[in-house]
Amino acid sequence: MMVHPHTRFDLPEALNAGEPPEARGLSRDHVKLLVAEGSTVTHTRFDRIGEHLRPGDLLLVNTSTTLPAAVDSSSYTVHFSTPLDDGTWVVELRDGGAPMFHGTAGDRVVLPGGALTLLAPYQGSNRLWIAKPPVADVLGYLQRHGRPITYNYVGKRWPLASYQTVFARDPGSAEMPSAARPFSFELVSHLASQGVLIAPILLHCGVSSLESHEPPQPERYDVPAHTARLVNWVKANGGRVIAVGTTAVRAIESATTPDGTVSPAHGWTDLILGPERPPYVVDGLITGWHAPEASHLLLLESVAGPDEVQRAYDAAVQNHYLWHEFGDSCLMLR
């Protein structure tokens, strides 16, 4: 049974970020940052995040690269979400910007350079399908024919570079792991010089589940041995482990035992953090702002507590923070 988050708020349409901050005359790291710690809320700017971090703190950053995962046909747009182990893909069909909830196994969708065949609904979903892709080399196909996935609040098409973070190195995400987007190379250098540690972790994001409030789907992840060792060392020496994004939280917690010990791990994770499974090792996270009723809010509540998350979201709405992948940011600390 899907558990719903406690956090409640109304999101005015004007707070949907429809363009990258660069198009608004800001550098990546000049977006607004809200820092929530206990009952305290602080308003600042992302390039000043170091003022709220300590030497010895560890940032876990997702190295997944965003794919041009949307392919347009004459009738539909296909979102390529996740490759499965047998060579098929999880896909979503959209019609006029909305999920297409009708379809039949065996349907063929004619795309540039080939056709996609629907095989079966994915894990009982009424909008996600297992499909046979047009070609075997899907990543190459997407480079030729795809574009970044966009939603209606984004007013125009932006290049794929707008959907990459400075940590991107491993192709595989249908949508940008956007919590790390405000980091610039200059900010990373500044944080390193003040003694903040940074370690890589990997989780490939599937398509968004915000519209139908679904729980997160299984996703591929990798916690390297050197990252696991560093997390254990930081915790043993009194530092804090701060995940950059819900993706990084899900990945590291998938490799953590109840006593807080992290081991190398990779494969598929279906972990869902919430009231019944709190985080064992994460002390805080850097995140964007999520839509009302999004399953991500449960994860935030599991890290920071429902009261802190509600307080942060109320302050963000009141102070006109911007939402979604091109919006503003939040640092939540336990």
Side-chain angles (χ1 to χ4, degrees), residues 181-223:
R181 193 185 191 280
F183 282 91
S184 63
F185 291 111
E186 294 80 7
L187 177 57
V188 171
S189 176
H190 174 73
L191 292 174
S193 70
Q194 77 173 61
V196 175
L197 305 171
I198 298 175
I201 202 165
L202 180 68
L203 186 137
H204 291 315
C205 309
V207 296
S208 170
S209 61
L210 300 181
E211 279 141 315
S212 50
H213 315 315
E214 298 164 342
Q217 298 288 342
E219 293 168 312
R220 291 182 187 272
Y221 80 106
D222 182 31
V223 178

Side-chain angles (χ1 to χ4, degrees), residues 82-103:
T82 307
L84 300 178
D85 294 335
D86 61 359
T88 61
W89 274 68
V90 179
V91 302
E92 180 192 42
L93 272 61
R94 296 181 77 89
D95 184 3
M100 192 185 83
F101 295 111
H102 57 86

